[in-house]
Amino acid sequence: ISQFQPPFFLLTGIPGLESAHTWISIPLCIMYLIALLGNSIILFIIKTTPSLHEPQYIFLSMLAATDIGLSISTLPTVLNVFLLNQREIEFHCCLAQMFFIHTFSSMESAILLAMAFDRSVAIRNPLRYTVILTYPRIVGMGLVAVVRGVALMAPLPILLKRLPFCKNIILSHCYCYHPDVMKLACGPVRVNIIYGLTLVLCSFGVDSVFIVISYVLILKTVMSIASNEGRLKALNTCVSHIVTVFIFYVPLIILALIHRFGTFTSPLFHVTMANLFLFLTPVLNPLVYSFKTKQIRSVMQKAFMTRGS
């Protein structure tokens, strides 16, 4: 087998729907517009509204910034494939894109954990909320999310770069994803597989376990509230976060399972789940928080009413 480092990879759109790629690019462009505009509006509202300079909204602004980063990471290649039918991506550009996608995903997971901790403190220890979640502590948690993401994901491109590749240069997605690029390598990928699995367990695995623990503690506290109205009020403050956690983790878990045991699944299902994971989260997060968060909704309504008048 001829072994080499390919000058480029070929990205793939949606298998079997190549003739409809131009039409598919229209909803994709709308989704990117919603993701970038929606998250930017949330950032702007939180920054310019002093009453929203609270821990809950600072974490939300971190989530919005991460979603913008995730969208920008995939946008160039996705639009190239679907809108311009340009499938080539240079080898090092592919590794860079892969690094950013995985880093922003890890950061998002860490921020969702921080938001779960925020809800846990707000419900279980409301009197000490501002004492526990001080501004320096919140900034520290945000920095830990960034540093952890970069530190964990930096070895991925380095480990792939040392591998020899075969003549097959066709990737399964319209962006570069670590397990997908790794499959094209000819050399021993045992280290890559072990490191990839360790990454999943150390970031997404640990985060999801602690999120579940946070909600078990929240439920325990909520069930001890005497009135039904009090219980509903407490749980209502968590709805947006719970929905966001499901939007993020469900496609991620399915995607991880497909890559591990996915020989029986159709390529269309495989690609759909991968795209849902990367496109849906940045699109739905601003919508969920705009609809469910009263303070953000009221600021937006005021802004539109002022503009309208």
Side-chain angles (χ1 to χ4, degrees):
I1 298 167
S2 171
Q3 295 181 350
F4 74 122
Q5 185 176 296
F8 60 86
F9 289 116
L10 287 176
L11 299 162
T12 304
I14 298 175
L17 295 175
E18 287 81 5
S19 58
H21 275 181
T22 309
W23 292 107
I24 294 166
S25 71
I26 297 167
L28 282 174
C29 286
I30 293 166
M31 284 171 79
Y32 274 118
L33 196 65
I34 293 167
L36 296 171
L37 201 62
N39 286 297
S40 298
I41 288 169
I42 282 182
L43 276 173
F44 179 75
I45 286 171
I46 292 168
K47 190 180 185 300
T48 55
T49 313
S51 63
L52 297 182
H53 294 174
E54 294 174 11
Q56 182 184 354
Y57 303 109
I58 296 169
F59 286 128
L60 177 55
S61 64
M62 289 179 189
L63 188 73
T66 307
D67 280 336
I68 290 169
L70 196 56
S71 293
I72 291 169
S73 300
T74 59
L75 188 142
T77 55
V78 171
L79 294 189
N80 261 352
V81 170
F82 286 96
L83 199 59
L84 306 172
N85 199 28
Q86 290 181 0
R87 293 175 57 202
E88 285 186 16
I89 180 167
E90 196 269 330
F91 181 77
H92 293 97
C93 288
C94 181
L95 296 185
Q97 184 188 43
M98 182 194 74
F99 166 75
F100 283 114
I101 288 171
H102 287 285
T103 300
F104 281 118
S105 299
S106 171
M107 282 166 58
E108 179 129 354
S109 179
I111 291 162
L112 287 174
L113 172 59
M115 292 171 92
F117 176 69
D118 165 79
R119 291 300 81 213
S120 179
V121 174
I123 290 168
R124 298 183 70 240
N125 212 337
L127 297 176
R128 297 196 65 229
Y129 181 65
T130 50
V131 177
I132 295 168
L133 283 164
T134 58
Y135 187 72
R137 201 165 280 170
I138 293 162
V139 172
M141 287 161 85
L143 283 172
V144 167
V146 175
V147 171
R148 187 194 75 166
V150 172
L152 285 178
M153 302 304 165
L156 286 182
I158 297 163
L159 288 171
L160 281 174
K161 205 170 175 341
R162 70 182 180 89
L163 292 171
F165 284 81
C166 305
K167 288 292 181 188
N168 182 13
I169 54 165
I170 301 169
L171 295 166
S172 312
H173 305 296
C174 48
Y175 49 81
C176 292
Y177 190 67
H178 177 253
D180 196 26
V181 178
M182 186 179 67
K183 280 178 185 173
L184 302 183
C186 291
V189 291
R190 189 187 171 96
V191 174
N192 299 64
I193 291 168
I194 292 166
Y195 188 72
L197 195 61
T198 307
L199 273 187
V200 171
L201 295 173
C202 287
S203 51
F204 307 110
V206 169
D207 294 346
S208 57
V209 166
F210 279 110
I211 289 170
V212 170
I213 291 168
S214 295
Y215 274 102
V216 168
L217 294 171
I218 286 169
L219 276 173
K220 202 176 166 187
T221 307
V222 168
M223 295 318 284
S224 66
I225 297 170
S227 69
N228 279 334
E229 194 186 334
R231 285 179 198 170
L232 286 171
K233 195 178 177 184
L235 283 174
N236 198 41
T237 63
C238 302
V239 170
S240 301
H241 182 254
I242 292 167
V243 172
T244 305
V245 166
F246 272 96
I247 292 165
F248 181 79
Y249 279 103
V250 172
L252 175 69
I253 292 162
I254 295 170
L255 189 59
L257 290 172
I258 287 170
H259 272 290
R260 293 280 171 268
F261 319 103
T263 46
F264 308 109
T265 57
S266 70
L268 184 61
F269 178 71
H270 192 155
V271 168
T272 305
M273 287 319 299
N275 291 347
L276 274 179
F277 168 60
L278 280 182
F279 302 155
L280 218 58
T281 310
V283 171
L284 292 182
N285 282 354
L287 297 177
V288 167
Y289 276 96
S290 300
F291 287 126
K292 281 301 299 172
T293 310
K294 193 179 170 184
Q295 290 86 338
I296 288 174
R297 203 167 61 241
S298 63
V299 171
M300 287 174 87
Q301 282 169 350
K302 277 180 195 170
F304 282 119
M305 282 167 72
T306 310
R307 191 164 286 182
S309 61

